[in-house]
């Protein structure tokens, strides 16, 4: 057999092999293709991105304002939510009981805050880095022509609810308080189960903070650093702990020393298990939050300071680390 003939044979073998390969490849390709060749198969791939599958749901809630001094009787809150993600969340919770706890973060936004868009964006960038599941409840008073916050929220990829209040407020404090109460009512009505924390729009977090508060069973508290940017000053306020047991408080000195009320803990200095909102009897409350005379923010705030047995100091090493800075102007 001449070398020319051998190479010819080799060439034939190669041609055969390549042909086989091509046939197998083409068949394999089409076989693999067949089950998803229906249009629905394709669309399920495309809709993975939340921005294209997003369909805002508007739900109207009749809410009677719990704070006194305003006429909220005609108020409605419009809630916009990421429906699909929420369902996914519930499924996850059912499937895995060891799953990390849901964090429910409440942020009231005042329309008087001129830099709110920048602050919402900055806070969203922090929350994006937090392990899921996380639900961000943003509450603001909305005017018909102002959808900027909605647009920012929609782009974040964070699971959120946008609660809109239509109240008319005389000052920022009552507006903020009212908004926090609306969020708590929302949690109660939907029986959301998780750890609730009030996040101020200008709060700055060490990311380990969010892991720490997931260890809370009922109530938890931690020191906050109050930053007075104008005075270039920082003050630490919060619990004094023996490992994770709270043994005292460093709080702002009360003006009236004969005052018998418990001292007021900073609104961002505690977190609690949301079940206390829908289990009023267990917590010695006379009525549901939806009772207009109740100020649930105040209730929870007082409860934390008075609670002794189920209050956890964070971090567990004697509350010795500041993981959160709050802005005090
Ligand atoms: C509060 O709203 C109700 C219902 O619209 C109205 O009847 C009432 O006059 C209002 N009260 C005040 C003080 O504006
Ligand atoms: C759940 O957690 C417990 C204790 O942390 C562990 O023993 C168990 O294996 C975990 N179960 C699953 C399904 O991960
Ligand atoms: C809110 O109250 C102010 C004055 O109290 C009034 O001028 C304004 O029209 C009110 N806005 C709404 C939306 O009711
Ligand atoms: C909240 O407390 C209830 C009752 O003690 C408990 O069953 C539940 O697991 C707690 N939830 C979280 C998120 O820790
Ligand atoms: C301090 O509080 C007590 C009881 O709340 C009150 O009777 C008293 O007038 C207050 N004193 C001042 C100086 O505000």
């Amino acid at each position: 057999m001449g070398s020319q003939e051998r190479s010819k044979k080799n060439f034939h073998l190669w041609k055969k092999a390549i042909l086989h390969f091509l046939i197998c490849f083409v068949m394999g390709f089409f076989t693999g293709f067949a089950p998803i060749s229906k249009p629905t198969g394709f669309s399920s791939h495309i809709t993975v991105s939340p921005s294209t599958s997003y369909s805002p749901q508007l739900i109207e809630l009749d809410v009677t304002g719990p704070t006194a001094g305003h006429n909220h009787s005609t108020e409605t809150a419009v809630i916009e939510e990421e429906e699909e993600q929420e369902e996914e969340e519930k499924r996850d919770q059912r499937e895995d009981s060891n799953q990390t706890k849901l964090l429910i973060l409440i942020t009231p936004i005042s329309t008087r805050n001129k830099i709110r868009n920048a602050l919402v964006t900055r806070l969203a960038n922090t929350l994006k880095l937090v392990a899921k599941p996380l639900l961000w409840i943003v509450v603001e008073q909305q005017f018909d022509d102002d959808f900027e916050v909605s647009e920012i929220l929609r782009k974040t990829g964070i699971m959120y609810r946008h609660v809109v209040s239509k109240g008319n407020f005389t000052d920022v404090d009552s507006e903020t308080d009212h908004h926090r109460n609306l969020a708590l009512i929302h949690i109660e009505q939907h029986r959301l189960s998780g750890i609730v924390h009030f996040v101020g729009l200008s709060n700055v977090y060490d990311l380990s903070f969010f892991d720490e508060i997931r260890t809370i069973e009922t109530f938890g508290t931690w020191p906050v650093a109050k930053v007075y940017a104008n005075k270039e000053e920082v003050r630490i306020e919060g619990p004094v702990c023996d490992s994770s047991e709270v043994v005292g408080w460093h709080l702002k000195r009360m003006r009236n020393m004969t005052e018998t009320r418990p001292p007021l803990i900073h609104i961002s200095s505690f977190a609690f298990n949301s079940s206390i909102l829908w289990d009023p009897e267990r917590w010695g409350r006379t009525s549901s939050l939806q009772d207009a005379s109740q100020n649930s923010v105040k209730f929870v705030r007082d409860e934390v300071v008075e609670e002794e047995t189920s209050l956890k100091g964070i971090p567990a090493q004697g509350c010795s680390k500041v993981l959160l800075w709050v802005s005090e102007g």
Side-chain angles (χ1 to χ4, degrees), residues 151-320:
E151 269 166 32
I152 296 171
L153 289 175
R154 214 165 289 169
K155 287 180 198 149
T156 58
I158 301 168
M159 181 164 70
Y160 71 91
R161 306 257 168 111
H162 190 194
V163 178
V164 174
S165 103
K166 296 260 168 72
N168 200 357
F169 302 92
T170 48
D171 62 290
V172 177
D173 283 349
S174 57
E175 179 183 2
T176 309
D177 225 35
H178 179 67
H179 286 172
R180 290 189 187 116
N181 277 308
L182 278 185
L184 294 184
I185 289 170
H186 179 76
I187 292 170
E188 186 193 9
Q189 281 179 339
H190 295 261
R191 293 191 151 245
L192 301 177
S193 177
I195 299 297
V196 183
H197 165 53
F198 295 105
V199 176
L201 204 50
S202 0
N203 287 8
V204 175
Y205 290 92
D206 181 313
L207 284 176
S208 66
F209 171 86
F210 298 97
D211 298 329
E212 293 282 349
I213 67 171
R214 281 194 162 114
T215 64
I216 292 170
E217 303 270 314
T218 313
F219 288 110
T221 184
W222 50 83
V224 293
K226 294 168 111 176
V227 179
Y228 299 82
N230 291 341
K231 291 192 254 172
E232 296 187 355
E233 195 181 306
V234 176
R235 278 188 222 149
I236 312 282
E237 198 180 288
V240 180
C241 309
D242 179 3
S243 73
S244 70
E245 188 190 345
V246 176
V247 294
W249 298 92
H250 275 306
L251 296 178
K252 197 168 70 181
R253 189 176 282 271
M254 281 165 292
R255 258 168 289 158
N256 185 343
M257 297 304 282
T258 58
E259 185 92 71
T260 52
R261 283 188 310 114
L264 211 50
I265 185 174
H266 190 278
I267 192 75
S268 282
S269 189
F270 63 90
F272 58 95
N273 179 329
S274 64
S275 74
I276 74 162
L277 298 173
W278 17 276
D279 203 357
E281 272 145 42
R282 187 174 153 211
W283 296 97
R285 279 193 309 152
T286 49
S287 61
S288 129
L289 296 182
Q290 285 154 68
D291 179 332
S293 67
Q294 285 264 339
N295 181 340
S296 29
V297 173
K298 186 176 176 309
F299 160 76
V300 179
R301 228 171 171 178
D302 290 349
E303 204 69 35
V304 171
V305 180
E306 285 167 354
E307 182 63 45
E308 278 159 9
T309 51
S310 51
L311 179 60
K312 179 175 180 169
I314 284 174
Q317 301 80 30
C319 309
S320 53

